[in-house]
Every structure is written in C-alpha cells, then in structure tokens.
Amino acid sequence: MKNIAKYIVIASLVSSAWACDDLFEPAIENIMDENKMDTDPRYVDQILGSAYILMPYPGVTGENNSDNRNDVATDDAVSNNIDNAYLTMATGGWTSRTGKSVDNWRDRNASIQFVNLVLKHVDNTVFANDEATNAMFRDRLKGEAYGLRALNMYFLLQNYAGLDASGELLGVQIWTEPYTAETDMNVPRSTFAQCMERLLEDVRNASELLPYEYSDAASANDVPEKYKAIGATLDGYNRVFGASTFLRMSGRIAQAVGSQAALLAASPAFSNGSGVTWETAANQAAAVLDHIGGPAGLAKNGHIWYSDSEVGNAPTETVSHAEVIWRSRHGENSDIEKECFPPSLYGKGRINPTQNLVDAFPMANGYPITESEGNYDSSNPYANRDPRLALYIVTNGSQLGINNSVINTGVDAGNNDGINKESGHSTRTGYYMRKLLRNDASPNPTSTVNKNHATTYIRYTEIFLNYAEAANEVWGPTGTGGHSYSAYDVIKAIRKRALGEGVEGGDRYLESIKGNKEKMRELIRNERRLELCFEGARFWDLRRWNSDLNTLNSTARGVSINGSSYNYIDVETRDYKDYMIYGPLPYDDVLKFSNIEQNKGW
C-alpha cells in the first residue's frame, strides 16, 4: 500500500529543475496532515507546488543537464558519456528495470496525487475574506490542478501506453481521488481511450477555469463578467489572475497540452483504440494557433529563441519570447555550456549530433541534398545549406564562444576538440551541439561568464507542426477543414522563416510537392526533426509513427575529416526490438500488483 505521507516526502526529496518552489510562500518544507489544507490556504498552494516541482522537463541548470535529453537514443545524436542512461537504452540495455521510465512513473503518479489532494480540499479552504476573491482563488487552483493532471497523464501515456497480450491498447491507471492508507492500489490499467477521455476533460476544465494567459487587467472593465457578477474588484482580480502568476498553468498551456496529447493519440501507433482522430488533433492545435492568427503569428525569430539576442540579458518573469508558450524561470549560469561546449571552451561536449541529422538539413534553396536541384557539393558539404544547420550544429571550422574561436573537429585538430580524442570530452561524430547554448556565456573556471537561461517547455513551433501533421493526414496538404490555413500554409511559413526571403524562385521544392500527401508527410516529419532537434521530440515521434525496426535501428553516423578529405563512419549501432515502439511499465510495480499488466514483449 502507498500512503499520502510517502508522496509528500517525495516532494521534499526531489530537486526542482525549475526552482518553482520560489513561487510559493513560505517555501515547501513541512510534512503535515492533509486536513490542514482545509484551514491553511498556504498549505494548499504548497501541495500544488509539489506537483510543479515534479514536472517532467529537463532542467536549465546543474551538472549532467545534457543527460536528460533523449535525442542521444535516436539517430540524431550520441553522447560521449558512457554512463548516459539513454545510451544504455539505445544500445540494447533497455529493460523494465532500466532507463528513465522508472523515475517517470513514480513522479507522474506522485504529481497526480498532489493535484488530487488539492481538488479534494480546495473548496473547503478560505483564501480571502471577500467572497469574490475567495471564489477566484478556488477557480485558479482547481484549474491549475486539472491542467497539471492532464500534463501528467500525457507523459504517462507517452511513456507507458501499449498493447497487452491480446492486442488491446491500454493506457494507465486513472486516479481522480487521492490515495489513502486504505486505498486498493492493485487495480488494472484503463484503456488508452478512457485515459484520453479523462485527459481532454481535464483540459476543458482547466481552460474554463483559467485565464488564457496571466496578465494584470488595466481597468475594472477588463475583469471577466462572471467575476464582476459576484462582486470582483480590479485589485482582487489582479491579485489572483495577474502577472505575478505568469509562469503557472494557464488556459493557453492547458490547450497546448491537449494538442500534444491529441497528436499522440491520433498517430499510427495509437490510433487503433485511442478514440481520437487526426481531425481532433488538428482542431486541438488550431485552438491554440487561432489566438495568434495562425501562420501570420509565427514568431519571426522563433527558430532561434534560445540565442543570446533572443533570451536577452534582462528578461522579465512576466514576459516571454513570442515563440514561447511555457518556460521555466530564468537562471543566470553557464551550466549547459559547461556540459556541451567543446573542450577548448571548457566544455564536456556531451551531445554529438550525427551525420544522419546533418544530412537531413536541406540546401539553402529548400531541396534535400539528395535532389540534383539542390546542387549539393560533397567536397564542400556545409556550403549553401539551410541556415538552421549552422544555427543548431557546430561543424568543422565553425566559430563558437565569446571570442568566436574556430572549432576544428577533424582528426588533425591540435587540441581535444578533434574527433575521438582521449579526453573523454571530444566529439564522437565530428560535430558538437550549438542549439540551446549561449555564445556569450563561458564556463571557463578562471573567468566564468554566466548568462540568463530558461528551459522552454512548450513552444508555438511545436503546435504549428502538430497542426500541419494532423491537417495533412485528414484534409491533405492544402485542405483547411474549416480553418483559415492548411498544412501547406504552416510549412511554407516555417521554411520561409528558416530559409529567408531570398530563395531564388521561392520555395520550389515545397511547391513541387504540395499536391502530394505522402511527400508532404515526409517533409512535415523532416521539418519537425530539424525544428525540434535536441528538444526530446524525435525519440517519441519515431515511436508514435510506428516506425519500422530499420528506422529505429538506424546506425548513428559521423564524419572523420582530415584536411579536405571526408570519411563517413559508423559511430554507434542501435538495438531496439519491435515491441519497443511502446515502453515498459516499471518491473517492481508489475511484480507488486497482480492486476497491472505489462506491455507486450516486456
């Protein structure tokens, strides 16, 4: 049996990647009986804060930040850290006892326990002396709880949904009430469709209770009518829903989570039994995108949201980049640079992009490098390429760091930046990651330069790509399904942003395939690979697409450069089995609870 105290203790032991306990006063620290929530409004907020602390996103600070990124378990990257858990998974060591899945199961269920506690007690708690402000506090906290429960269900389904021995698509157990010492935990998993029904209902509840985004209302006229009707004042509304609440779950974030979940459910690996169609997935994404005018609202510099100029040196905690739907607090550090810069810049070079990923970037005119119209030059392979290649990946001869140092990744490098040097921090593929790093930060221990960083949890480009994928499947490349934009319109905007205005003759490759649903699907998936690289998308994308074993087991490749000679090499083989389209439930839980059935193959 599990009990409430156990899960409250978990929160006190987990380090906060977001440091979101800073949002709660006083800090989360005491272990008290749950009924204290009825008389102590701060305790309700602290319990909800425990759910935030357990959110499933990579941290922006701390050692081994790069080890949280599952890209190194795909054909997009490898790690030079031999102890990396995803490296172990990708090379044959993924079992129901290993990998990141065990911790994720515990944390997601613990987080749901916290939000269920809040939902149980929040309407008994007095948060303010006046009735209107009290009602608004209750609405906000309930809305946050519903949104966080949907978020946790999405990640549980992504990690653990799968086929049972009979071929039925199962989800996870659905908990809508908090556990007690008497709760029978030995209950079977619900179907995937039942889990999605619960998730989308939570998204709807959160969207109804929360403002679309938190900001201070300028006048009493801006207070929503439903709160005016019960006597809410401008000061009271801003106290509850104002800018000071900016980084917490909002209606916009809840709808974005709904888009992520609906895309997962409509995808080939889950569509037979999810109850969710491509049309539903497209509409879920459009619900978010319509607020910014569709493709016209695509952030101009959204593909470089993490750069020095876009993060800025003095961001506020109540304003985000136009690309960002949800992010962490900013933290001033150089931790991720320490993990991922090349050795000459005092980094460990942990994430090494593959030749596979490099080859996925098209030419500057939009054509794949395999098409003759692209004019790819194998003797000068990085020339005239899609600008995103240089933005996201350090290639041989690239400049990086405060002093724009030239990085030599070849075998003839005079330092440890070269491929397969003995330092343990050199590249294994001939490439280093540039994306997510700030060029103006430095982990040099004698003259460290720290800069503001933030982890972006959800951004608009992902939702645009969600829409493009779903819309293409249900309405074809140029169909709109009643919306004002198509999959083609979205991809045109994304590629125009990346390639610039100066592509001679326009994006001729896109124009050549816009009438072909299969070619458009291939392009959308490749754009997703490029735009979301190193953001943890591809590992799950390959699985929800029900990719075959040849794709899952694509050998990670690199390049050994010596002068003007390019020798393409195999770096790391993948060893996935066909049942690994779906992940395993933790071994200990399946062993402990006889009614929890493991996914087929595990």
Side-chain angles (χ1 to χ4, degrees), residues 370-390:
T370 54
E371 300 279 343
S372 60
E373 294 92 333
N375 299 315
Y376 173 70
D377 182 357
S378 60
S379 66
N380 193 11
Y382 313 125
N384 300 316
R385 299 291 293 275
D386 182 324
R388 288 174 294 188
L389 174 59

Side-chain angles (χ1 to χ4, degrees), residues 520-556:
M520 184 61 79
R521 178 191 298 132
E522 183 180 338
L523 180 60
I524 290 168
R525 289 183 177 186
N526 196 66
E527 285 297 313
R528 188 175 181 92
R529 181 181 191 178
L530 304 184
E531 285 282 342
L532 304 183
C533 65
F534 312 120
E535 296 179 48
R538 187 162 176 80
F539 182 86
W540 301 113
D541 283 345
L542 289 172
R543 284 162 174 76
R544 67 179 179 82
W545 292 331
N546 205 15
S547 302
D548 60 32
L549 272 181
N550 288 333
T551 301
L552 286 180
N553 287 331
S554 295
T555 298

Side-chain angles (χ1 to χ4, degrees), residues 86-250:
Y86 285 117
L87 184 155
T88 300
M89 290 170 64
T91 54
W94 193 9
T95 74
S96 59
R97 284 179 161 176
T98 63
K100 299 290 186 179
S101 56
V102 176
D103 286 345
N104 198 45
W105 175 269
R106 180 203 67 177
D107 289 351
R108 300 289 65 71
N109 281 291
S111 188
I112 289 172
Q113 167 73 349
F114 288 128
V115 300
N116 285 340
L117 281 167
V118 170
L119 289 170
K120 176 183 176 181
H121 290 275
V122 66
D123 282 335
N124 299 329
T125 310
V126 177
F127 297 92
N129 292 328
D130 68 282
E131 182 178 339
T133 303
N134 193 53
M136 288 189 290
F137 268 120
R138 287 175 174 174
D139 279 359
R140 196 198 77 200
L141 291 165
K142 284 187 288 188
E144 289 180 69
Y146 284 125
L148 288 170
R149 193 164 69 185
L151 172 74
N152 282 290
M153 177 60 80
Y154 164 59
F155 277 92
L156 282 170
L157 292 176
Q158 186 183 63
N159 279 268
Y160 306 109
L163 303 177
D164 67 8
S166 69
E168 184 179 14
L169 183 64
L170 297 181
V172 294
Q173 297 160 309
I174 297 175
W175 303 106
T176 57
E177 298 290 335
Y179 320 128
T180 70
E182 289 74 39
T183 298
D184 179 9
M185 308 297 295
N186 191 18
V187 298
R189 299 159 64 187
S190 297
T191 66
F192 190 101
Q194 289 168 336
C195 291
M196 281 301 302
E197 288 176 6
R198 177 71 269 163
L199 185 156
L200 293 176
E201 179 65 23
D202 282 345
V203 168
R204 286 190 290 271
N205 287 336
S207 299
E208 291 172 2
L209 290 166
L210 297 172
Y212 190 70
E213 192 50 87
Y214 296 107
S215 62
D216 289 332
S219 71
N221 292 331
D222 297 324
V223 175
E225 289 298 327
K226 66 176 180 178
Y227 293 128
K228 285 183 185 177
I230 60 173
T233 65
L234 175 63
D235 287 344
Y237 180 81
N238 286 342
R239 177 184 170 191
V240 179
F241 295 115
S244 63
T245 318
F246 182 71
L247 292 178
R248 295 169 72 148
M249 175 66 66
S250 66

Side-chain angles (χ1 to χ4, degrees), residues 12-29:
S12 68
L13 296 177
V14 174
S15 297
S16 170
W18 184 16
C20 64
D21 51 317
D22 292 346
L23 292 174
F24 306 97
E25 294 292 345
I28 303 161
E29 59 184 15

Side-chain angles (χ1 to χ4, degrees), residues 337-360:
E337 287 78 19
K338 181 179 180 180
E339 287 292 302
C340 296
F341 267 174
S344 67
L345 299 180
Y346 304 94
K348 298 176 183 177
R350 288 304 192 203
I351 298 179
N352 307 156
T354 59
Q355 188 65 46
N356 315 51
L357 176 59
V358 170
D359 288 346

Side-chain angles (χ1 to χ4, degrees), residues 371-479:
E371 300 279 343
S372 60
E373 294 92 333
N375 299 315
Y376 173 70
D377 182 357
S378 60
S379 66
N380 193 11
Y382 313 125
N384 300 316
R385 299 291 293 275
D386 182 324
R388 288 174 294 188
L389 174 59
L391 287 170
Y392 299 166
I393 295 175
V394 176
T395 60
N396 188 51
S398 293
Q399 293 182 325
L400 187 68
I402 288 176
N403 296 320
N404 291 319
S405 301
V406 175
I407 307 301
N408 183 350
T409 66
V411 297
D412 56 350
N415 57 28
N416 285 327
D417 292 350
I419 189 169
N420 290 328
K421 298 293 184 179
E422 294 181 0
S423 68
H425 296 158
S426 64
T427 176
R428 298 173 59 204
T429 62
Y431 301 104
Y432 292 97
M433 184 183 79
R434 183 193 296 270
K435 190 180 183 183
L436 311 179
L437 310 181
R438 290 194 59 156
N439 214 47
D440 59 350
S442 173
N444 184 339
T446 62
S447 56
T448 302
V449 179
N450 293 325
K451 293 291 182 178
N452 277 316
H453 295 73
T455 297
T456 297
Y457 304 145
I458 311 175
R459 60 191 186 98
Y460 276 108
T461 295
E462 178 188 350
I463 309 302
F464 274 110
L465 289 164
N466 291 358
Y467 178 84
E469 182 176 341
N472 181 61
E473 296 298 335
V474 67
W475 302 311
T478 57

